[in-house]
Amino acid sequence: MSPPRIVVVGGGAGGIGVATRLGRHLGRKGKADVVLVDMAEAHVWKPLLHEAATGSLDTGIEAMSYRGHARINGYRFQQGTLVDIDRGRRHVELAPILDGDQELLPARQIGYDYLVIAVGSVADDFGIPGVQQNCRFLDTTSQALDIQRSLRKHFLRYARDERLEEKIKVVIIGAGSTGAEMAAEMANAVHQLKGYGFNVHAGMLSITLVEAKSDILPDVHRPAIRESVAGQLREMGITIRTGQGVVQAEPGRIILADGSVLEADLALWAAGIKAPDVLADIGGLETTSSNQVLVRPNAQTTQDDRIFAIGDCCACPQPDGSLAPPRGQVARQMGHMVVRNLIDILEGREPRREYVYRDLGSLVNLSRFHTVGNLFSFLGGGIMVEGRLARFTYHSLYRRHLLEVYGLIRGSLMMAVRSLSHFLRPSLKLH
Ligand SMILES: Cc1cc2nc3c(=O)[nH]c(=O)nc-3n(C[C@H](O)[C@H](O)[C@H](O)COP(=O)(O)OP(=O)(O)OC[C@H]3O[C@@H](n4cnc5c(N)ncnc54)[C@H](O)[C@@H]3O)c2cc1C
């Protein structure tokens, strides 16, 4: 009898851990056929995308090929985009892979005994006119690289002295941690480029951070953190506009609710997220208005015990009636729990583990300028940290991810490669 097949769709912050652990614990021993499906060929940890967008992170080094990783971790990889689930026949349907007009791979179906949906989230434009057409998004590695290319083109204008009086106008919509970190990374990019023959200076980049709510970092409860970040952003020359939502985006212009117009050579949308639209009506599963699949506390979907959902794309109820927030640590922790629940099922036990979000804290890293945040927030509000300790903790989250995904030896080697590359290569990707 062939072993049960577990299909994981989405190899991001949550899904890659699930495929890796299932592959190592079950796949290698022939106890399950573990298949990871992702629309991309390589994994880049999403919390680093803003660094990829400015070139301070080189995806050539950081991207991990799913195929290579699958081969040594006991699972199989199939590249493809999930478009539907047939729960009756128990298979997922993948879109064809195209290269322009040419079909490289036809539409396919992959059967499953158990399915884990981990497709993450995308930026939510809230239906605001012109946003899709005129703003850039930071949901995928290729979008991050597009932003990087666009920025480089703008900076290239400054190879000519006579253009030096012009400013490059960047508008970032959404002053949550993604928007704030992106703004700081851009300010850093100018500092770095100066050393590489670009005729640039800090004043040439005008960055405006727009937030509809009354303060930046609306999800951060501690006012001192918001103040610290706002102060640092202003010190970098970044303009903060709060209390004004965007009502329209046009080519080169962002229009705010009070009628004011912001000129934008580059407009970046980081104002909210939803689960991908494909989930809205998938397989008759119950979903929220933001497309998240409703799950029980053990991550089984409310409609189907064979289907689990984790991370940003699921709505997981918490004991206090709230939903687990869309964060990297939630995706990772839920992934660990689902692996244990799946092993329990395969060994004939009930999947009883339930996910309770323990907020270990969150940090805002303003490039090389400043890091601040809260740690152990689940302990009576936690402690506020700033500076080196905060920065070390922030970077250790990625180190932990590397160790988890690559294993101890390869993960440590990967960290060494990163350090070497910082030493050997320019601090900004310049090509
Ligand atoms: C710039 C930025 C900075 C962030 N910083 C932080 C931070 O500091 N701390 C924090 O906790 N969180 C942070 N986040 C949020 C964090 O990245 C997400 O909460 C986390 O990545 C969610 O993990 P996930 O596994 O649910 O989804 P993701 O990591 O987004 O992975 C989803 C995967 O699914 C694949 N996929 C999507 N659709 C399909 C489809 N239809 N078919 C097949 N594959 C598909 C994608 O290619 C991707 O590999 C940040 C996000 C951004 C954008």
Side-chain angles (χ1 to χ4, degrees):
M1 203 175 73
S2 52
R5 181 179 294 161
I6 305 174
V7 175
V8 182
V9 184
I16 188 68
V18 175
T20 308
R21 282 169 181 245
L22 287 175
R24 288 180 192 158
H25 286 99
L26 303 174
R28 275 181 184 160
K29 297 174 189 154
K31 291 184 177 174
D33 174 21
V34 182
V35 181
L36 173 67
V37 174
D38 200 288
M39 59 186 186
E41 279 181 299
H43 167 87
V44 174
W45 200 49
K46 195 171 183 181
L48 295 182
L49 281 189
H50 59 299
E51 295 186 24
T54 54
S56 57
L57 176 130
D58 188 343
T59 50
I61 291 175
E62 306 290 341
M64 183 195 76
S65 152
Y66 285 120
R67 284 178 205 286
H69 188 255
R71 196 170 71 98
I72 53 177
N73 284 287
Y75 67 91
R76 296 190 289 132
F77 174 67
Q78 286 272 334
Q79 190 180 355
T81 300
L82 174 77
V83 287
D84 209 352
I85 300 171
D86 186 331
R87 291 203 286 128
R89 295 195 173 93
R90 267 199 252 141
H91 65 231
V92 293
E93 297 184 8
L94 306 184
I97 297 183
L98 307 172
D99 181 19
D101 289 342
Q102 198 195 349
E103 187 176 273
L104 300 179
L105 256 182
R108 285 152 296 150
Q109 297 168 346
I110 301 180
Y112 63 80
D113 293 294
Y114 296 95
L115 174 64
V116 181
I117 308 174
V119 292
S121 57
V122 293
D124 192 348
D125 66 2
F126 305 105
I128 296 169
V131 170
Q132 280 298 330
Q133 300 79 6
N134 300 303
C135 294
R136 289 176 186 269
F137 301 91
L138 198 51
D139 297 326
T140 63
T141 310
S142 59
Q143 288 172 343
L145 295 179
D146 279 347
I147 294 171
Q148 192 201 326
R149 274 189 288 273
S150 166
L151 267 179
R152 240 190 358 250
K153 275 190 215 157
H154 284 297
F155 285 132
L156 203 58
R157 295 191 341 214
Y158 289 81
R160 287 169 50 195
D161 283 349
E162 58 268 32
R163 304 294 292 263
L164 273 177
E165 295 312 309
E166 283 181 33
K167 282 189 182 237
I168 299 172
K169 294 173 257 339
V170 176
V171 177
I172 299 174
I173 302 115
S177 48
T178 301
E181 289 181 350
M182 185 70 205
E185 278 301 335
M186 288 202 174
N188 177 48
V190 180
H191 283 269
Q192 301 289 336
L193 281 172
K194 217 156 73 174
Y196 294 113
F198 280 85
N199 199 5
V200 296
H201 59 91
M204 53 160 275
L205 190 63
S206 142
I207 305 175
T208 306
L209 194 53
V210 178
E211 172 57 52
K213 301 218 172 95
S214 58
D215 202 352
I216 66 162
L217 303 176
D219 293 337
V220 171
H221 301 303
R222 215 182 257 263
I225 295 176
R226 295 199 295 270
E227 281 157 23
S228 173
V229 170
Q232 187 64 47
L233 290 172
R234 289 199 176 98
E235 218 168 280
M236 290 177 214
I238 293 163
T239 307
I240 299 174
R241 302 261 319 236
T242 52
Q244 287 298 326
V246 170
V247 290
Q248 187 156 353
E250 294 175 356
R253 285 151 50 99
I254 297 295
I255 298 156
L256 303 185
D258 64 358
S260 51
V261 174
L262 302 174
E263 283 182 43
D265 294 310
L266 181 68
L268 195 99
W269 191 262
I273 57 160
K274 60 177 181 176
D277 288 339
V278 66
L279 295 188
D281 190 24
I282 202 160
L285 296 175
E286 221 179 335
T287 51
T288 66
S289 57
S290 55
N291 304 335
Q292 287 174 306
V293 178
L294 273 172
V295 296
R296 298 184 214 122
N298 69 354
Q300 269 174 325
T301 56
T302 51
Q303 303 290 305
D304 193 325
D305 285 357
R306 288 182 179 270
I307 304 183
F308 294 75
I310 62 164
D312 286 8
C313 72
C314 80
C316 182
Q318 295 297 290
D320 64 0
S322 66
L323 295 173
R327 295 174 63 178
Q329 57 177 305
V330 172
R332 177 175 171 275
Q333 291 165 4
M334 284 192 86
H336 291 183
M337 181 199 71
V338 160
V339 168
R340 291 200 294 266
N341 278 344
L342 280 166
I343 291 174
D344 280 346
I345 290 176
L346 296 192
E347 292 179 353
R349 295 184 293 272
E350 285 293 309
R352 288 195 200 283
R353 288 181 177 80
E354 300 196 334
Y355 181 65
V356 179
Y357 172 53
R358 283 206 320 159
D359 187 357
L360 298 176
S362 54
L363 295 159
V364 184
N365 183 50
L366 301 178
S367 190
R368 65 188 171 80
F369 303 102
H370 188 51
T371 310
V372 59
N374 217 45
L375 292 183
F376 309 115
S377 310
F378 66 98
L379 290 175
I383 44 167
M384 182 172 157
V385 285
E386 277 188 272
R388 284 190 181 180
L389 174 62
R391 195 170 171 73
F392 176 81
T393 313
Y394 179 84
H395 288 295
S396 62
L397 296 178
Y398 185 49
R399 286 188 209 109
R400 187 181 59 184
H401 177 72
L402 289 177
L403 289 175
E404 180 173 340
V405 169
Y406 284 98
L408 181 63
I409 296 173
R410 284 195 173 88
S412 307
L413 285 172
M414 190 61 203
M415 286 183 234
V417 168
R418 293 186 84 224
S419 308
L420 263 179
S421 118
H422 285 309
F423 175 66
L424 292 172
R425 297 161 70 110
S427 47
L428 216 58
K429 192 167 181 290
L430 299 166
H431 58 277

